[in-house]
Amino acid sequence: MNTERMVPMHGEESSAALSPKTMMSRFAILLLVSIGVGAAGGATVLEAHQATAVGVFLAIIMGTLFFWGFRLAIAFLGLAVLICTNSLSIAQFVQSSALEVILFLVGMMIVVGALRDLGFFTWVVQLIVSMPNISGRKFIAVTAVASALLACAVDEVTSIIFISTLIFQVCDRLKLNPTPYILIAVLATNVGSAGTMMGNPVGIYIGTKGGLTFGDFMLWSFPLMLVALGVTVLFLLYFYRKELRQFDVNLQERLSRNLSLAPVVDVPYRRGLALLIFTILAIASHHQLETLLGLGRNSVLLVAPLVCAGLVMILRPDRARHYVEREVDWWTLLFFMLLFAIAGTLEHTHVDRVMADYFTSVCGGSPMLLIPFILATSAIGSAFVDNVIFVAAFCPVIEQLSVSVKAFPLWWALLFGACIGGNITMIGSTANIVALGMLEKKAPHQMGFFAWLKVGALSALLAGGVVWIGLVVTSPFMPDRVSRVGFEQLAGNFDGKEVEISAVYGSPATAPDEFEVVMSDTLAFRLDPEKGGSPVRLVAVVPSAWIGKSGIQPGESGVFRGRLYSGRTPDQESVLYVSEISGVK
């Protein structure tokens, strides 16, 4: 996560090294494209505030591509434009800046710094080096899996730093080019970062926006990640089979001279392992603790790393200031906070509804079509743009789509697309950039863009295909959360979605014959909006006995819950098969 300190090749120095002419030309392109797209949107389907929000967000995206070192300055200016044009209020800024996510990352960064101090990562490296009967395939398979699992437990950047150190050490002794081994490890790391909400900043952001728990990740995301990881590792073992055979040859030659692969040292690891286990258990038990204590969803999840970080700072007071000042990447976290707020403008100005309507027009509101569409779009976008930026823009769209479609598969498609898409190009993820920065200092032959693209795109395609199939197969078994909808949202494409709607018990009606949902001894009546004025006609179908139990009478309002089906034609009523009536007044 501390990418600015570790990778100057992609930090402020890279922007500062640009010539004035290059900077001016890039800045002109940034302004022309962002203003042009915003103006074109305003002249067609967007309102003025929506066009401003789109233009500023596009400027942020292009700013990270053209001026990586100045991305925070561009975010500052973009936020000022949104506030001064009344596209974003201060209250909306505070609401959208995802401070809970920022604090979660602060806590995890402090914990990771303590783990580094306590020798935990060195111990993991020593375990790999001391494997019995080591071979090229065994070494790289274990290294890849360890890199992925380590990313799940801490984060992708910390994982790739320590695994890369191990690879350089082994390749130096065997006189091998470390490039293919580094590439295998970083591709596995990106896939592994989708396994838990701790592996990547997009994981905790998606978890927060989607209301997903640690248990949800372990039940639905982690097993799918393991399958995708297995396919990725098998492909890479085949792709680099020649290099692995050379590994075995050089290894046998070294062992024949009674030389070890790497020195094995005794590392005190127990305190670091205990800290990691305590942190994971605290995060994993958050849902049960929230239920027990009557707290809001994900409250304990977001403060658990802060509790662990606080304990670390109490137990190691001499290192506390170092952890806060040096281990926490404040530059990146501040950028994330502004980015989340600017992305929130897309929600406040209802650009997300425009995008969701477009997605629905393309995919028809079917999860079987939306899953591959979101997976592919987020993967391709994250290959060229920081995946946090892409996810921040897409989360409001997923929230809108989830009003009429089961949400879980869409969130997982976004998560895996953002993480796996980082494998496509060498700039697709922070882990890629960190690994390449380390490789520049070690390897005489550098990795070219198209050389990476060849193996990265193929591995991403295979992993993405596995995830697509996995989500399609498991989607029917995923829970469907109730959507709270209003009459203005009934124009969407509903097909049995569980919803709640506040409405008035209206006049008697007849349910359309096209809906093949049989309910015996039922009563059908119209549901009218409490404030009137909706062009959408809604018919409720309720078991007759429930009306008496609920106590609702014609003309009274209540909250109606059930499965909603949109009309098959624009002139046909939507039908709500009611399962519960509450809040009668």
Side-chain angles (χ1 to χ4, degrees):
M1 289 179 179
N2 299 304
T3 55
E4 304 302 327
R5 185 160 42 88
M6 294 180 296
V7 199
M9 67 169 237
H10 208 271
E12 289 69 36
E13 293 81 359
S14 60
S15 296
L18 294 175
S19 66
K21 182 178 180 181
T22 302
M23 289 189 64
M24 291 299 296
S25 61
R26 290 187 179 186
F27 186 68
I29 294 173
L30 184 152
L31 286 179
L32 287 174
V33 173
S34 57
I35 293 175
V37 170
T44 52
V45 297
L46 301 178
E47 299 176 358
H49 291 334
Q50 293 175 328
T52 302
V54 170
V56 170
F57 195 81
L58 184 60
I60 298 293
I61 293 176
M62 297 186 66
T64 60
L65 291 175
F66 289 169
F67 309 103
W68 176 262
F70 295 133
R71 66 193 183 282
L72 184 56
I74 294 172
F76 280 149
L77 296 175
L79 179 65
V81 170
L82 292 176
I83 292 177
C84 292
T85 57
N86 204 29
S87 300
L88 181 70
S89 67
I90 298 298
Q92 290 170 338
F93 163 72
V94 174
Q95 179 184 354
S96 302
S97 57
L99 290 176
E100 68 278 11
V101 175
I102 302 300
L103 290 175
F104 179 94
L105 295 175
V106 168
M108 286 303 301
M109 288 178 179
I110 292 174
V111 170
V112 168
L115 290 173
R116 186 181 293 111
D117 269 1
L118 296 172
F120 172 78
F121 300 110
T122 305
W123 172 66
V124 172
V125 168
Q126 288 294 314
L127 286 180
I128 298 174
V129 171
S130 59
M131 282 188 302
N133 303 319
I134 193 170
S135 66
R137 285 178 173 271
K138 186 175 182 180
F139 169 76
I140 202 59
V142 171
T143 300
V145 172
S147 183
L149 296 180
L150 203 55
C152 286
V154 282
D155 67 85
E156 58 177 0
V157 172
T158 302
S159 172
I160 199 61
I161 287 174
F162 284 92
I163 295 299
S164 295
T165 302
L166 166 65
I167 291 173
F168 289 134
Q169 187 180 51
V170 170
C171 289
D172 282 346
R173 283 168 170 75
L174 296 182
K175 302 298 187 289
L176 295 171
N177 178 13
T179 301
Y181 306 97
I182 292 293
L183 183 57
I184 292 172
V186 76
L187 295 182
T189 299
N190 288 330
V191 175
S193 67
T196 69
M197 56 178 54
M198 300 176 293
N200 196 303
V202 301
I204 183 60
Y205 188 68
I206 288 175
T208 302
K209 299 293 285 186
L212 306 174
T213 67
F214 184 88
D216 292 330
F217 273 79
M218 295 305 296
L219 180 61
W220 303 110
S221 180
F222 189 77
L224 194 52
M225 179 278 291
L226 291 179
V227 178
L229 176 64
V231 171
T232 300
V233 172
L234 289 175
F235 164 72
L236 294 171
L237 289 177
Y238 174 78
F239 191 90
Y240 288 113
R241 58 192 182 279
K242 293 181 180 179
E243 287 80 358
L244 294 177
R245 282 197 293 266
Q246 188 61 47
F247 183 104
D248 291 337
V249 171
N250 292 16
L251 175 62
Q252 291 304 318
E253 190 275 332
R254 182 175 178 84
L255 294 178
S256 66
R257 293 187 284 126
N258 294 321
L259 297 174
S260 64
L261 186 60
V264 178
V265 296
D266 186 23
V267 180
Y269 65 89
R270 288 184 175 83
R271 288 186 299 168
L273 181 61
L275 172 61
L276 180 62
I277 292 174
F278 178 77
T279 303
I280 293 177
L281 288 178
I283 293 173
S285 61
H286 75 93
H287 183 62
Q288 292 77 9
L289 290 174
E290 288 156 4
T291 303
L292 179 65
L293 300 175
L295 301 175
R297 181 185 292 272
N298 288 352
S299 300
V300 175
L301 166 68
L302 296 167
V303 301
L306 295 179
V307 172
C308 297
L311 293 175
V312 165
M313 294 165 66
I314 290 174
L315 295 175
R316 298 176 64 84
D318 56 321
R319 298 286 289 169
R321 182 176 291 274
H322 168 82
Y323 292 147
V324 174
E325 294 180 350
R326 303 297 299 170
E327 296 295 343
V328 178
D329 187 359
W330 294 107
W331 175 279
T332 298
L333 292 180
L334 186 56
F335 174 69
F336 282 172
M337 186 178 72
L338 296 177
L339 172 65
F340 295 153
I342 293 171
T345 311
L346 302 178
E347 181 178 3
H348 294 304
T349 58
H350 303 308
V351 174
D352 56 339
R353 295 186 182 181
V354 176
M355 296 173 67
D357 289 342
Y358 171 75
F359 274 33
T360 303
S361 67
V362 171
C363 303
S366 168
M368 296 303 102
L369 295 177
L370 283 170
I371 288 171
F373 188 78
I374 293 171
L375 185 65
T377 303
S378 57
I380 295 172
S382 297
F384 299 96
V385 178
D386 190 308
N387 59 8
V388 177
I389 297 177
F390 209 84
V391 167
F394 254 67
C395 277
V397 180
I398 302 297
E399 289 177 319
Q400 284 298 318
L401 290 172
S402 64
V403 171
S404 58
V405 180
K406 184 184 286 188
F408 265 51
L410 306 186
W411 288 118
W412 301 133
L414 179 62
L415 171 69
F416 277 100
C419 293
I420 293 174
N423 282 346
I424 297 177
T425 67
M426 60 200 310
I427 60 171
S429 80
T430 308
N432 300 5
I433 297 167
V434 170
L436 287 171
M438 299 176 70
L439 194 59
E440 275 192 340
K441 301 176 181 178
K442 296 284 185 178
H445 306 290
Q446 300 305 313
M447 190 76 177
F449 180 86
F450 291 103
W452 181 298
L453 183 66
K454 180 181 178 180
V455 62
L458 286 174
S459 69
L461 185 63
L462 287 172
V466 168
V467 170
W468 176 15
I469 295 171
L471 289 177
V472 169
V473 171
T474 59
S475 177
F477 304 99
M478 294 181 184
D480 185 14
R481 290 179 178 158
V482 178
S483 294
R484 180 79 179 188
V485 299
F487 274 80
E488 71 279 1
Q489 296 171 295
L490 296 183
N493 190 0
F494 292 86
D495 189 18
K497 173 70 175 179
E498 192 80 12
V499 303
E500 283 184 350
I501 184 169
S502 296
V504 177
Y505 185 162
S507 58
T510 302
D513 297 332
E514 289 82 353
F515 295 101
E516 300 177 357
V517 179
V518 179
M519 297 176 67
S520 60
D521 192 19
T522 58
L523 179 68
F525 53 87
R526 297 191 186 282
L527 290 178
D528 301 321
E530 293 177 318
K531 296 183 179 179
S534 173
V536 179
R537 293 176 296 172
L538 179 61
V539 173
V541 179
V542 187
S544 301
W546 288 10
I547 295 297
K549 292 180 180 179
S550 67
I552 193 169
Q553 299 294 326
E556 294 182 336
S557 63
V559 178
F560 296 81
R561 176 174 176 174
R563 287 174 291 121
L564 179 62
Y565 294 84
S566 298
R568 302 294 187 239
T569 65
D571 297 329
Q572 192 179 66
E573 297 97 337
S574 297
V575 176
L576 178 67
Y577 289 90
V578 179
S579 59
E580 183 182 338
I581 303 174
S582 61
V584 177
K585 57 182 178 180

